[in-house]
């Protein structure tokens, strides 16, 4: 039996995709071998690779003057790769320190070059994102780095800053669930293991003209121009992750690509926020309402004990992985693109019955 899996990543994937993978696993399209046993230079794999790149471009509406790269090392390696490629002598980079991941990106960039906190949400316990006029943009800033959705704290940027410097975005946890104003961005990146597919793949999209200016003085795997020159086949790519991602992208296209996913995310997270707001104060969200994540809904019951009881009962009812990140506790429902409407309905129904049962029998 499949449960409703609210894990923050890796996470639930469309059942149709998993079944298709299972079906063609032993003999991939008549090759007599699986996709993970064949050469990454074989025509069969090359077709998979090209199709996944094309479908990503189509679904995300990536303009022709951007290059899409399939990389490894997750989003975490891109924390280093981005400044290494873009940040040169005499320039700085502003980082929005909006939560755990924004903090991590800044730390890694500062290990390489002149990176500073353009805004720090820590004094506010990371409960909102900054307004544009709160961002410090230094005269020598090469880019402003943002985390469009902070997965752990459950906050998102409702819109992207307009601050006169190019943006760089870590979109790991809301990739392809919202449109990107590409004209404002030089680069976006994210790990695949939430909205796209299995772990092991990071997708980085860079304005192609920048590939002539990136730092050349780096080992080859760290050079974005080197990956671009080889169409993301500089070395053996994460073939299985790319193959499954291609299938997820095809599934997404049928559901209306990014516009369809955006509507779906607003509607489904909205149902859970309504359950929180309509609970008479039983459930509480720490996040400023306009900045509530559409992917990771973070909330609490009146006590740690009730949080634990909620999680335990929910798990028994097939609602799994609802525990908040170990650093913040509480409850977190991650409602990525592939979560089913049934899963969300089941969660909302459970929230209501759990609250009612506590009103009747507070000892639980
Ligand atoms: C917003 C964000 N950035 C970065 C990361 C790190 O990603 P990875 O595990 O792919 O390195 C995560 C992981 O959850 C994330 O949510």
């Amino acid at each position: 039996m499949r449960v409703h899996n609210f894990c923050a990543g890796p996470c639930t994937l469309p059942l149709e995709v998993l079944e298709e993978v299972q079906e063609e696993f032993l003999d991939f399209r008549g090759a007599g071998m699986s996709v993970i046993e064949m050469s990454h230079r074989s025509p069969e794999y090359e077709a998979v690779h090209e199709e996944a790149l094309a479908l990503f471009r189509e679904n995300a509406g990536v303009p022709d003057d951007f290059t899409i790269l399939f990389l490894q090392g997750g989003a975490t390696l891109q924390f280093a790769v981005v400044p290494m490629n873009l940040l040169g002598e005499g320039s700085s980079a502003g980082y929005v320190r909006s939560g755990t991941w924004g903090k991590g990106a800044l730390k890694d960039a500062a290990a390489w070059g002149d990176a500073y906190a353009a805004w720090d949400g820590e004094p506010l316990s990371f409960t909102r994102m900054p307004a544009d006029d709160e961002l410090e943009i230094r005269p020598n800033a090469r880019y402003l780095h943002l985390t469009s959705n902070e997965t752990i704290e459950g906050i998102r940027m409702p819109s992207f800053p307009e601050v006169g410097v190019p943006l760089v975005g870590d979109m790991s946890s809301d990739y392809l669930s919202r449109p990107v104003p590409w004209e404002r961005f030089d680069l976006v990146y994210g790990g695949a293991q939430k909205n796209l597919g299995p772990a092991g793949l990071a997708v980085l999209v860079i304005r192609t003209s920048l590939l002539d200016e990136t730092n050349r003085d780096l080992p080859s795997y760290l050079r974005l121009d080197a990956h671009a020159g080889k169409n993301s086949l500089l070395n053996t790519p994460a073939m299985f992750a790319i193959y499954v991602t291609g299938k997820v992208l095809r599934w997404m296209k049928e559901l209306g690509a990014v516009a369809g996913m955006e509507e779906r995310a607003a509607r489904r997270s909205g149902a859970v926020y309504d359950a929180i707001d309509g609970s008479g104060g039983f459930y509480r969200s720490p996040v400023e309402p306009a900045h509530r994540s559409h992917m990771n809904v973070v909330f609490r019951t009146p006590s740690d004990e009730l949080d634990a009881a909620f999680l335990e009962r929910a798990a028994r009812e097939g609602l799994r992985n609802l525990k908040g990140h170990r650093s913040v506790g509480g409850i977190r429902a991650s409602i990525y693109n592939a979560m089913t409407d049934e899963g969300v309905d089941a969660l909302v129904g459970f929230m209501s019955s759990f609250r009612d049962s506590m009103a009747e029998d507070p000892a639980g």
Side-chain angles (χ1 to χ4, degrees):
M1 186 200 85
R2 281 179 63 79
V3 296
H4 298 300
N5 176 12
F6 291 91
C7 192
C11 62
T12 193
L13 290 174
L15 182 59
E16 303 91 294
V17 166
L18 299 178
E19 283 171 346
E20 241 183 78
V21 170
Q22 186 180 43
E23 211 167 282
E24 60 189 22
F25 192 65
L26 295 183
D27 181 6
F28 179 69
R29 297 181 192 166
M33 64 183 86
S34 73
V35 75
I36 59 170
E37 295 171 297
M38 59 180 52
S39 166
H40 58 295
R41 311 276 174 208
S42 63
E44 290 91 343
Y45 176 71
E46 274 184 25
V48 167
H49 194 82
E50 288 303 332
E51 190 187 11
L53 283 167
L55 281 167
F56 187 94
R57 187 178 292 283
E58 195 181 341
N59 273 284
V62 179
D64 289 344
D65 56 340
F66 281 78
T67 298
I68 301 166
L69 300 177
F70 287 158
L71 304 173
Q72 297 187 52
T76 303
L77 185 58
Q78 315 322 313
F79 288 173
V81 163
V82 167
M84 284 174 145
N85 279 267
L86 297 186
L87 199 52
E89 197 99 335
S91 56
S92 66
Y95 276 68
V96 184
R97 209 166 170 276
S98 50
T100 305
W101 296 112
K103 239 164 94 169
L106 171 59
K107 186 160 172 265
D108 280 1
W112 170 260
D114 183 8
Y116 68 93
W119 181 77
D120 188 3
E122 193 153 18
L124 305 165
S125 307
F126 299 128
T127 49
R128 70 167 176 90
M129 289 285 185
D132 287 9
D133 61 8
E134 293 177 298
L135 293 163
E136 181 201 344
I137 307 296
R138 296 190 179 159
N140 70 344
R142 165 67 189 82
Y143 61 82
L144 176 74
H145 180 282
L146 56 87
T147 309
S148 49
N149 183 76
E150 285 283 359
T151 322
I152 292 175
E153 290 81 6
I155 57 176
R156 77 165 200 145
M157 286 191 165
S159 59
F160 293 105
E162 283 190 80
V163 285
V165 290
L167 304 179
V168 167
D170 171 4
M171 296 196 70
S172 294
S173 52
D174 61 0
Y175 235 0
L176 283 108
S177 72
R178 64 189 298 183
V180 176
W182 292 101
E183 68 288 352
R184 267 184 258 164
F185 279 87
D186 269 359
L187 190 154
V188 303
Y189 64 91
Q193 68 275 14
K194 300 172 201 301
N195 276 337
L196 289 173
L201 170 68
V203 184
L204 184 148
V205 186
I206 181 169
R207 189 178 290 283
T208 305
S209 58
L210 293 175
L211 292 166
D212 293 332
E213 299 164 22
T214 49
N215 190 359
R216 298 283 187 273
D217 200 12
L218 296 170
S220 54
Y221 197 87
L222 302 176
R223 283 178 52 175
L224 294 176
D225 67 310
H227 287 284
K230 299 284 186 191
N231 193 29
S232 301
L233 286 160
L234 173 74
N235 69 333
T236 317
M239 295 164 69
F240 187 70
I242 292 169
Y243 157 74
V244 179
T245 294
K247 289 190 183 299
V248 174
L249 288 165
R250 214 177 308 138
W251 167 87
M252 211 179 274
K253 187 178 156 184
E254 277 166 28
L255 293 176
V258 102
M261 294 299 120
E262 186 184 33
E263 178 279 319
R264 191 173 156 94
R267 174 170 50 81
R268 289 141 29 117
S269 60
V272 183
Y273 288 120
D274 284 349
I276 295 170
D277 295 340
S279 69
F282 183 79
Y283 297 112
R284 285 165 298 123
S285 155
V287 175
E288 191 150 305
H291 297 194
R292 287 171 167 180
S293 171
H294 290 189
M295 295 279 122
N296 313 100
V297 180
V298 167
F299 60 99
R300 285 183 177 274
T301 67
S303 69
D304 289 349
E305 291 69 33
L306 283 178
D307 285 355
F310 179 100
L311 293 168
E312 196 256 322
R313 280 203 211 166
R316 267 194 271 137
E317 298 202 13
L319 304 166
R320 299 286 167 82
N321 290 319
L322 282 163
K323 199 172 180 347
H325 189 266
R326 60 187 181 281
S327 61
V328 295
I331 300 162
R332 170 176 57 172
S334 293
I335 306 170
Y336 294 119
N337 289 350
M339 171 52 66
T340 57
D341 283 355
E342 292 72 34
V344 177
D345 291 346
L347 174 62
V348 167
F350 175 76
M351 287 171 72
S352 163
S353 65
F354 183 78
R355 187 197 62 159
D356 291 349
S357 71
M358 287 303 135
E360 284 158 19
D361 173 18

